[in-house]
Amino acid sequence: MMNQVVTGTSGSSRCFQYEVQGLRQSDDTEGMNYQIRSSASVFMTVPYNRMNEAMQRITRMGGKIVNIKPIG
Protein backbone atom coordinates (compact mmCIF):
# COMPACT_ATOMS: atom_id res chain seq x y z
CA MET A 1 0.00 0.00 0.00
CA MET A 2 1.39 3.36 -1.02
CA ASN A 3 -0.75 5.68 1.10
CA GLN A 4 -3.62 5.12 3.46
CA VAL A 5 -6.00 7.88 4.47
CA VAL A 6 -8.80 7.64 6.98
CA THR A 7 -11.66 9.99 6.16
CA GLY A 8 -14.08 10.56 8.99
CA THR A 9 -14.48 8.53 12.11
CA SER A 10 -17.93 7.83 13.40
CA GLY A 11 -19.77 5.15 15.30
CA SER A 12 -20.24 3.17 12.11
CA SER A 13 -18.47 -0.18 12.29
CA ARG A 14 -18.73 -0.82 8.54
CA CYS A 15 -15.79 0.66 6.68
CA PHE A 16 -14.64 0.36 3.10
CA GLN A 17 -11.24 0.81 1.51
CA TYR A 18 -11.14 2.82 -1.72
CA GLU A 19 -8.20 2.45 -4.08
CA VAL A 20 -7.93 5.75 -5.93
CA GLN A 21 -5.70 6.67 -8.86
CA GLY A 22 -5.06 9.93 -10.66
CA LEU A 23 -5.46 12.41 -7.81
CA ARG A 24 -4.01 15.80 -8.58
CA GLN A 25 -3.02 18.74 -6.42
CA SER A 26 -5.84 21.30 -6.18
CA ASP A 27 -7.38 23.80 -3.78
CA ASP A 28 -9.18 20.88 -2.10
CA THR A 29 -5.92 19.03 -1.46
CA GLU A 30 -3.71 21.96 -0.39
CA GLY A 31 -4.63 21.65 3.30
CA MET A 32 -4.19 17.88 3.52
CA ASN A 33 -1.23 16.42 5.36
CA TYR A 34 -0.32 13.75 2.82
CA GLN A 35 1.33 13.95 -0.56
CA ILE A 36 -0.71 13.71 -3.75
CA ARG A 37 0.97 11.89 -6.65
CA SER A 38 -0.94 11.40 -9.88
CA SER A 39 0.84 8.14 -10.78
CA ALA A 40 0.36 6.29 -7.50
CA SER A 41 -2.60 4.62 -5.90
CA VAL A 42 -3.96 6.11 -2.70
CA PHE A 43 -5.88 3.92 -0.28
CA MET A 44 -8.64 5.63 1.67
CA THR A 45 -10.60 4.06 4.52
CA VAL A 46 -14.15 5.43 4.52
CA PRO A 47 -17.04 4.68 6.91
CA TYR A 48 -20.25 3.48 5.26
CA ASN A 49 -22.18 6.65 6.10
CA ARG A 50 -19.59 8.84 4.29
CA MET A 51 -19.17 6.81 1.10
CA ASN A 52 -21.13 9.18 -1.15
CA GLU A 53 -19.36 12.27 0.21
CA ALA A 54 -15.95 10.62 -0.31
CA MET A 55 -16.81 9.63 -3.89
CA GLN A 56 -17.83 13.20 -4.72
CA ARG A 57 -14.63 14.61 -3.20
CA ILE A 58 -12.47 12.12 -5.12
CA THR A 59 -14.18 13.11 -8.36
CA ARG A 60 -13.62 16.83 -7.66
CA MET A 61 -9.93 16.12 -7.06
CA GLY A 62 -9.65 14.40 -10.45
CA GLY A 63 -9.31 10.88 -9.07
CA LYS A 64 -10.76 7.61 -10.25
CA ILE A 65 -11.88 4.87 -7.88
CA VAL A 66 -10.45 1.62 -9.21
CA ASN A 67 -11.41 -0.69 -6.36
CA ILE A 68 -13.68 -0.72 -3.30
CA LYS A 69 -13.48 -3.46 -0.70
CA PRO A 70 -15.11 -3.91 2.71
CA ILE A 71 -12.92 -3.91 5.79
CA GLY A 72 -13.99 -6.50 8.32
Side-chain angles (χ1 to χ4, degrees), residues 11-31:
S12 176
S13 61
R14 293 178 9 184
C15 288
F16 294 83
Q17 185 179 58
Y18 290 4
E19 181 179 356
V20 181
Q21 292 181 342
L23 289 178
R24 65 176 186 268
Q25 197 70 34
S26 69
D27 291 337
D28 290 336
T29 59
E30 283 296 320

